[in-house]
Each structure stands twice: as structure tokens, then as C-alpha cells.
């Protein structure tokens, strides 16, 4: 017999970003509104030429970070790459923020696939040098289960374990699938996580070749006429999702409700952006939440800073809002683009902005490409109440997604 | 490479795979499984040691080993 759908809420947030060690730091970072993007030194981020705008986790020491974790997590993460250890630490931080310790019935939902390309390249190099010296860990670490399994072992999570990929929209899609599973009663809650981007020089070169990355000496400025492409950001986030009933039963702090989500495809492979799918995804998410676009109090745009992508998203927002002056900001202007985990960072940013009643600035926005939308400038909005927010994310492969969040303070 | 050098190489590989193990526990008599190494951890140790020594043996050459000392013996047989 059906027992109705559970409502799904966010009860824990973990964030790791340049200059940001946890969710409390992230609040301050968003309020400050100063971009973490800066020109990379040569070799600072393998695959990015000197002068490329990017945001790197400075001073992140993989072995020291692993050594600072509890014993069970240290064992689970042994031998882990920089990105894996960062992702593990962030997932554990989200559980701690939620006040959970070893929730055995919880699941792990990893956002994205191909999350360890640097490690893959070094294994391939070893194979070319001498096939017998191929790292044997590659046999299991290459699969999409690995990061989730490491977090599950570290925290003792025995519920469902899955990966949900949608390129740069993976965070939103993973939250959508996780929320649906919780709503159906398949699990009481889970951690949704992604590591920081771990693309190798191979992928960065290919992204440069297609003109997606902001070239050395040029700017990534989402929604600004001068933007020249996206800028990588080495950042990640994790969210604890939980049924409202489970959260209430344990007296958890309810940060936000996952009120709606939408997914649409262009039915076209490749990288070209598109307004129609973006609009369809946003409308689906609003319909599921049972609100209109005019009821939104803020929109966190995908806004990577590629001229074509920003322009298509502006067209979708113009059609969605029909003149309504809902403020729109772009977290990637501050953090850079964290690829598979970007949408998780943006959901975390939206929740913190709703809780603290402000809107962060869109760094570098001097010459907006649209005058008829309320694009939030670099200074942000110091006082802004939000009951409802929408966060958009798009991915290669013609994917568009949106998640509608309801302020946790609104949940009676 | 002398047998003692090979032993020290294996110890370094064990420490790399199991960083929390006290060095004193890594003896000739100890078994990697008893020290807490999984089957993949044990292969990591063998392959890491082969690479450090400059050997490219098929793993069948290291079959049936139960202690660190036996691994050192087997590697020493093939060592250049």
C-alpha cells in the first residue's frame, strides 16, 4: 500500500572552497563577495597555462587533511587522491553539521562520474612505462562506486549507494534523484556529495580546444559583456537530505526543503547551450513546488561565464520571468566552476543566503548583457528575505536542470 | 640489490599502503593480512616493491606467499 510521499529537507551542509574550510566560512565568503578567481601561476593547476583565471585550494595538503580525520575515515580514505580526500572530508562535515553520527540507514549519492581523471592519467602513464607496474587499486577505484564507498566506510552508512551523473548539472540531478528516493520511502536520508573537480591536463586541453575555458589573461565574468569563458574552481560541497519526518523525529535543524526539481534535454549531444531546455526544467521545478515564477525571491543562475551559455540562460530567464524583477546572482563568479559538484555548492549558497537574508554579489558584473532582468551586481544585496529560491544547472549533453528550495524557517 | 635492501624496500611499501602501522610491526615473520592489509593492499605492496627494485614479474611469480619474509625471498630470487 502506498503511504504518500515524504517531504524532503536539507539538514546538513559541508563546503570546501578556496579560503573556505566549512559552511560558516562560506557564509562569510559569500557576504564578502570577493572572487576567489585569480591568474594561475605556471604549473599551479596541471593543465591550466599560466595566467588562466581559476580558483585553487591553496595549501591543501592531502596527507595532512586525511591525518586530521577520525580513525575510521583515515582508513577508508587511505591512498586517496587530493580530490577524494577533499570530498570525503566535506561529506563528513555535512554529516557533522546535521548532527548525525553513523546513521546506518542513510545512503550515499555521488554527483557525477569520471571524478578521478588525474589519478586515471597517472595510472595510464604507469601502464605505458611498464604494464606490470599499473596501480592495482585502479581495478576498483576507477568505478563510480569508489567515492561513495569511501564515505560509507568512513561514516558507517549502509543505505543505498549510487552515482548520478549529469556533467556540470550533476549536483542538481543527484539531489533530485536522492530526494525522490527519500520521498518514496526508499531511505530515510542520505549524503549527496561530489569531490572538487579532478579533470586531468587531457580534459583541460580539450576544453581549451573547444573554447570553453577563459584563456590566460582574460576574464571569467558571468553575465558581463567582457566574459571570455568559464574558470575552474577547486571547490566542493555535500548536503545531507532527509525526510521531514525523520528530521523532526530527531529534532534536527531544518535548513531548507527540496520543494521541486526539473530535468530536460535538448535531445542533442555536445556542448551547445539552449534556452528552451533551460526554461522547461525551471518550469517543471516550479510546477512540482506548486509556485509561479513571480513567487520566487531569488534565482541562482548556472552562469558559467561562457558568452553563448550566459546568453542562452538570459533568454530562458526572460521567458520565465516575463518582466518579474526576481533577483538573479551567479555563485560561479566567486568560486569558479566546480564542474560535477558546482550545483551542490550553489544549493549550499542559496540555503545560506535564505537563512541570513541577503544576496551575494555577482563579482565582475560591470556591463550586464541584459537590462530587463534584475541581475545582482558585485555589491550584492545586504538585506533580502527569501521564501523561495530556484537554482539552475546545465550540463554538456544538452542537459538542463533546476531545483526549487523553500526556506527552512517557512516549514511549519 | 641485497636481501636487506629488498626488505627495507618492502617495509617502505607497507608503510605507504598502511601509513598507520607502527614500523616495529613490520617484521619478516608478520603476515600482511594479519597486519590488516586487504587483498588489494597486498598486491599494492608487491607491485610497489617490484617497481622500486626494477622488476616486472607476472604476479604468478609471487603466488602462495604468506609472510613478509617470503615476499622478500621471492623478490630476491629475481632481483638483478
Amino acid at each position: 500500500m502506498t503511504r504518500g510521499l515524504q517531504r524532503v529537507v536539507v539538514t546538513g551542509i559541508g563546503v570546501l572552497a578556496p579560503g573556505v574550510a566549512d559552511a560558516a566560512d562560506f557564509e562569510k565568503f559569500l557576504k564578502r563577495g570577493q572572487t576567489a578567481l585569480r591568474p594561475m601561476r605556471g604549473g599551479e593547476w596541471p593543465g591550466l597555462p599560466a595566467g588562466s583565471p581559476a580558483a585553487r585550494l591553496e595549501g591543501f595538503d592531502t596527507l595532512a587533511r586525511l591525518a586530521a580525520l577520525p580513525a575510521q575515515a583515515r582508513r577508508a580514505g587511505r591512498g586517496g587522491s587530493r580530490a577524494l580526500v577533499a570530498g570525503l572530508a566535506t561529506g563528513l562535515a555535512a554529516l557533522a553539521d546535521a548532527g548525525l553520527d553513523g546513521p546506518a540507514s542513510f545512503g550515499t549519492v555521488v554527483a557525477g562520474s569520471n571524478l578521478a581523471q588525474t589519478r586515471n592519467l597517472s595510472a595510464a602513464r604507469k601502464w605505458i612505462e611498464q604494464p606490470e607496474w599499473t596501480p592495482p587499486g585502479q581495478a576498483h577505484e576507477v568505478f563510480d562506486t569508489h567515492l561513495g564507498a569511501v564515505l560509507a566506510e568512513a561514516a558507517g552508512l549502509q543505505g543505498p549507494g549510487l552515482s548520478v551523473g549529469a556533467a556540470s548539472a550533476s549536483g542538481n540531478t543527484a539531489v533530485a534523484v536522492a530526494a525522490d528516493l527519500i520521498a518514496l520511502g526508499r531511505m530515510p536520508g542520505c549524503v549527496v556529495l561530489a569531490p572538487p573537480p579532478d579533470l586531468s591536463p587531457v580534459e583541460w586541453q580539450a576544453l581549451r580546444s573547444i573554447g570553453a575555458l577563459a584563456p590566460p589573461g582574460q576574464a571569467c565574468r558571468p553575465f558581463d559583456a567582457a566574459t571570455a569563458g568559464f574558470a575552474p574552481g577547486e571547490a566542493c560541497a555535500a548536503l545531507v537530505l532527509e525526510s521531514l519526518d525523520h528530521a523532526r523525529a530527531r529534532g534536527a535543524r531544518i535548513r531548507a526543503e527540496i520543494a521541486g526539481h526539473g530535468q530536460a534535454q535538448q535531445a542533442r549531444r555536445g556542448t551547445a547551450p539552449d534556452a528552451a531546455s533551460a526554461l522547461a526544467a525551471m518550469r517543471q521545478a516550479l510546477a512540482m513546488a506548486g509556485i509561479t515564477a513571480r513567487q520566487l525571491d531569488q534565482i541562482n543562475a548556472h552562469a558559467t561565464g561562457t558568452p553563448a551559455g550566459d546568453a542562452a540562460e538570459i533568454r530562458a530567464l526572460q521567458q520565465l520571468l516575463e518582466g518579474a524583477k526576481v533577483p538573479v546572482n551567479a555563485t560561479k563568479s566567486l568560486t569558479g566552476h566546480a564542474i560535477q559538484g558546482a550545483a551542490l555548492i550553489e544549493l549550499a549558497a542559496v540555503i545560506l543566503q535564505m537563512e541570513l537574508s541577503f544576496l551575494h554579489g555577482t563579482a565582475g558584473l560591470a556591463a550586464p548583457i541584459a537590462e530587463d532582468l534584475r541581475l545582482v551586481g558585485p555589491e550584492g544585496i545586504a538585506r533580502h528575505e527569501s521564501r523561495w529560491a530556484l537554482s539552475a544547472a546545465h550540463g554538456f549533453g544538452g542537459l538542463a536542470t533546476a531545483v526549487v528550495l523553500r526556506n527552512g524557517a517557512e516549514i511549519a | 640489490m641485497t636481501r636487506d635492501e629488498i626488505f627495507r624496500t618492502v617495509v617502505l611499501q607497507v608503510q605507504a599502503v598502511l601509513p598507520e602501522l607502527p614500523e616495529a610491526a613490520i617484521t619478516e615473520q608478520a603476515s600482511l593480512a594479519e597486519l590488516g592489509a586487504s587483498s588489494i593492499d597486498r598486491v599494492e605492496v608487491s607491485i610497489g616493491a617490484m617497481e622500486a627494485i626494477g622488476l616486472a614479474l607476472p604476479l604468478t611469480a609471487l603466488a602462495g606467499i604468506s609472510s613478509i619474509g617470503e615476499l622478500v625471498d621471492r623478490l630476491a630470487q629475481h632481483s638483478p
Side-chain angles (χ1 to χ4, degrees), chain A residues 293-294 296-299 321-328 371-375 381 384:
Chain A
R294 288 180 178 273
L296 287 171
D297 301 298
Q298 57 165 296
I299 294 175
L321 294 172
E322 298 179 310
K325 297 298 180 190
V326 178
V328 179
E371 294 295 344
D372 56 337
L373 292 173
R374 191 178 171 199
L375 302 178
I381 301 176
H384 183 86

Side-chain angles (χ1 to χ4, degrees), chain A residues 192-212:
Chain A
V192 184
L193 80 158
D198 193 22
L199 298 181
S200 79
V202 175
E203 289 75 39
W204 293 128
Q205 178 64 43
L207 285 162
R208 287 168 59 200
S209 298
I210 65 166

Side-chain angles (χ1 to χ4, degrees), chain A residues 74-75 78 126 130 133 137, chain B residues 20 36 41 44 51 55-56:
Chain A
R74 289 200 302 274
R75 184 169 169 80
R78 70 193 186 282
K126 191 66 77 182
Q130 181 67 57
W133 297 344
Chain B
E20 306 211 2
D41 292 337
E44 297 259 11
E51 182 181 349
L55 288 172

Side-chain angles (χ1 to χ4, degrees), chain A residues 21-113:
Chain A
D22 55 27
D25 277 355
F26 196 43
E27 289 177 11
K28 294 184 204 120
F29 172 83
L30 295 173
K31 283 209 156 170
R32 204 180 312 125
Q34 285 177 357
T35 187
L37 294 171
R38 58 174 177 75
M40 289 289 100
R41 298 183 297 276
E44 185 175 1
W45 192 331
L48 299 185
S52 302
R56 185 76 159 156
L57 284 173
E58 284 178 75
F60 183 88
D61 180 325
T62 305
L63 291 177
R65 192 72 192 79
L66 185 65
L69 296 177
Q72 198 172 324
R74 289 200 302 274
R75 184 169 169 80
R78 70 193 186 282
S81 68
R82 174 182 173 102
L84 181 123
V85 171
L88 168 62
T90 306
L92 291 171
L95 282 166
D97 184 57
L100 287 163
D101 180 19
S105 53
F106 273 46
T108 53
V109 179
V110 172
S113 59

Side-chain angles (χ1 to χ4, degrees), chain A residues 150-195:
Chain A
V150 168
L151 178 67
E153 178 175 329
L157 309 179
Q158 297 169 45
L162 60 151
S163 294
V164 180
S168 294
S170 293
N172 266 4
T173 305
V175 163
V177 171
D180 283 353
L181 288 174
I182 295 167
L184 287 166
R186 307 288 187 214
M187 57 184 171
C190 66
V191 183
V192 184
L193 80 158

Side-chain angles (χ1 to χ4, degrees), chain A residues 71 74-75 78 126 129-130 132-138 140-141, chain B residues 17-18 20 36 38 40-41 43-44 47 50-51 54-57:
Chain A
R74 289 200 302 274
R75 184 169 169 80
R78 70 193 186 282
K126 191 66 77 182
E129 184 186 358
Q130 181 67 57
E132 284 81 359
W133 297 344
T134 300
Q138 186 73 359
H140 66 110
E141 292 174 13
Chain B
V17 175
L18 300 171
E20 306 211 2
S38 69
I40 292 170
D41 292 337
V43 181
E44 297 259 11
I47 289 178
M50 281 203 299
E51 182 181 349
L55 288 172
L57 303 173

Side-chain angles (χ1 to χ4, degrees), chain A residues 245-258:
Chain A
D245 287 352
H246 192 275
R248 277 184 174 146
R250 67 183 187 86
R253 175 183 175 196
I254 292 162
R255 315 285 302 252
E257 179 172 8
I258 308 294

